[in-house]
Amino acid sequence: MVDRILVIGSSGQIGTELVEELRTIYGNENVIASDIREPQIAQNGPFEILDILNKVQLLEIVEKYNVKEVYLLAALLSATAEKNPSFGWDLNMNSLFNVLNLAKDKVIDKIFWPSSIAVFGPTTPKENTPQYTIMEPSTVYGISKQAGERWCEYYHEKYNVDVRSIRYPGLIGYKSKPGGGTTDYAVDIFHQAILSNNYECFLSENTTLPMMYMSDAIKATINIMKADSSNIKIRSSYNISGMSFSPKEITNRIKKYIPGFSISYKPDDRQKIAESWPKSINDQHAIKDWGWSPDINLSTLTEIMLENLKQLLPLEN
Ligand code: NAD
Ligand code: SER
């Protein structure tokens, strides 16, 4: 039997697109999707209902399919975790321990676990934020990601666990909906531009954040996992960068295609979270160690999002 891949939290924003790409590369039957909820799109390979907090169920599925690689995507994101800090901590940490321990016990060989720009906090330098810098996250989500990074490095150093990680910025795609983050506005704005020609934004107009088009995030994920282990010098998590923009800047881009589009601003609790995060990211280590480079800039992203959502949205509603 060939080694197989398990994606945990596969029905979410990233999992929906990652499973599709992994199946194209490794074959439909070799990529097992799993989540506590049904997938957003029809599956062309195995799907299992799995609660990552249930260690017995996790081991059963890993053994059933002879899984050797795990992509752990299940988490509460920044805004959702602030509403339920205790459960956010529980899910984000114990999901990681359950998977790290499978690798420590040699049941699986390799793990991908995403961190986030949320590991940085209000005291971090905001422009061109370095890989190594002050990290005092102020959200439960950021605290859980920072602790997770330390545990990944610890398991690598102490138990030789092959765990690889990326600090994703805000991710934008048209194939799946975001799951409760502070950067979700950058997806919603495209939906509302097409559906109603206006958008009420929960961040203020000049709030600049690091962002990335989903295909670049998937490319980074697959490339860091394919890289030779000796090239992965950082076992906490790598900075990666795509683009940075504010609500005002993305609005101006959308207006080039939809001149009547208008935006209003009503900042809520997420504004404070956004203000605690970097504006732009220095990713020189990812470039040097495993050849990272993004393909999509703001102008291309805007074209792709509007073109595809114009086709999809009338069908959904
Ligand atoms: P999402 O919320 O869209 O998806 C998470 C999925 O996990 C959901 O489908 C949910 O049903 C599932 N899940 C929740 N609890 C579970 C459980 N107990 N067992 C199994 N599955 C469970 O999130 P996403 O945007 O796809 O993010 C995936 C990962 O990437 C997370 O770790 C997130 O922190 C990280 N990340 C995402 C972004 C982004 O912009 N999307 C940015 C930085 C980091
Ligand atoms: N997009 C994520 C969030 O806003 C960043 O980790 O929570």
Side-chain angles (χ1 to χ4, degrees):
M1 202 190 269
V2 294
D3 291 352
R4 294 213 171 112
I5 293 170
L6 175 64
V7 180
I8 300 168
S10 64
S11 304
Q13 190 196 10
I14 301 172
T16 301
E17 297 212 30
L18 180 64
V19 166
E20 198 177 75
E21 188 59 23
L22 287 171
R23 284 182 174 155
T24 303
I25 299 170
Y26 299 106
N28 291 348
E29 294 308 310
N30 295 323
V31 179
I32 295 89
S34 71
D35 203 293
I36 47 168
R37 61 176 170 139
E38 293 296 327
Q40 291 190 40
I41 56 171
Q43 296 291 291
N44 51 7
F47 174 81
E48 296 274 352
I49 291 289
L50 166 65
D51 180 350
I52 183 56
L53 297 179
N54 184 334
K55 283 191 264 190
V56 175
Q57 203 190 7
L58 171 64
L59 185 59
E60 272 170 16
I61 289 173
V62 164
E63 287 179 338
K64 175 176 166 188
Y65 291 99
N66 190 30
V67 167
K68 290 295 167 197
E69 252 178 56
V70 169
Y71 291 68
L72 171 58
L73 303 177
L76 285 198
L77 274 78
S78 57
T80 315
E82 284 310 291
K83 294 194 181 108
N84 195 346
S86 163
F87 181 65
W89 176 257
D90 184 25
L91 175 62
N92 293 4
M93 296 315 299
N94 287 322
S95 57
L96 179 58
F97 281 125
N98 288 349
V99 174
L100 285 173
N101 285 328
L102 282 183
K104 180 187 167 206
D105 296 341
K106 312 282 179 227
V107 180
I108 59 170
D109 295 336
K110 216 185 211 183
I111 300 167
F112 176 80
W113 171 81
S115 185
S116 161
I117 53 163
V119 292
F120 301 114
T123 51
T124 303
K126 294 222 178 299
E127 302 283 354
N128 200 25
T129 301
Q131 175 72 37
Y132 301 106
T133 184
I134 300 167
M135 294 164 87
E136 296 184 312
S138 53
T139 59
V140 65
Y141 175 70
I143 296 168
S144 73
K145 289 294 184 186
Q146 189 193 34
E149 287 191 6
R150 302 320 310 148
W151 280 111
C152 287
E153 191 179 290
Y154 185 91
Y155 269 67
H156 178 72
E157 293 297 321
K158 295 274 173 182
Y159 311 121
N160 204 24
V161 166
D162 189 354
V163 55
R164 301 163 184 220
S165 178
I166 285 169
R167 291 171 181 152
Y168 290 134
L171 301 184
I172 301 162
Y174 65 88
K175 294 184 185 171
S176 50
K177 299 216 167 113
T182 302
T183 57
D184 290 12
Y185 93 84
V187 178
D188 297 342
I189 195 170
F190 286 105
H191 286 249
Q192 291 314 314
I194 288 166
L195 290 173
S196 61
N197 233 10
N198 61 68
Y199 180 62
E200 184 180 273
C201 187
F202 58 76
L203 297 183
S204 63
E205 62 180 340
N206 293 318
T207 312
T208 299
L209 286 170
M211 301 278 186
M212 182 173 287
Y213 183 60
M214 188 61 85
S215 66
D216 275 334
I218 302 296
K219 181 176 94 162
T221 306
I222 287 172
N223 285 354
I224 196 176
M225 286 297 273
K226 274 189 183 163
D228 195 274
S229 184
S230 61
N231 290 335
I232 308 301
K233 315 272 189 217
I234 295 173
R235 293 294 181 155
S236 52
S237 192
Y238 277 92
N239 277 6
I240 58 167
S241 174
M243 64 191 89
S244 287
F245 58 79
S246 65
K248 189 176 173 184
E249 285 163 338
I250 196 170
T251 298
N252 288 339
R253 280 280 162 193
I254 293 172
K255 278 183 171 170
K256 288 190 198 297
Y257 301 90
I258 308 178
F261 176 60
S262 68
I263 185 164
S264 57
Y265 298 96
K266 197 176 174 195
D268 65 16
D269 295 349
R270 289 168 280 191
Q271 180 65 32
K272 198 170 168 212
I273 300 178
E275 281 171 12
S276 77
W277 289 352
K279 292 180 192 294
S280 60
I281 297 288
N282 182 305
D283 56 0
Q284 61 177 10
H285 289 272
I287 294 168
K288 182 163 67 71
D289 291 357
W290 45 274
W292 159 245
S293 73
D295 295 323
I296 307 292
N297 60 21
L298 177 57
S299 151
T300 316
L301 173 142
T302 309
E303 273 174 32
I304 298 173
M305 289 297 287
L306 291 176
E307 250 172 46
N308 285 284
L309 286 175
K310 266 182 205 155
Q311 308 293 320
L312 289 172
L313 283 179
L315 301 173
E316 279 178 13
N317 290 281

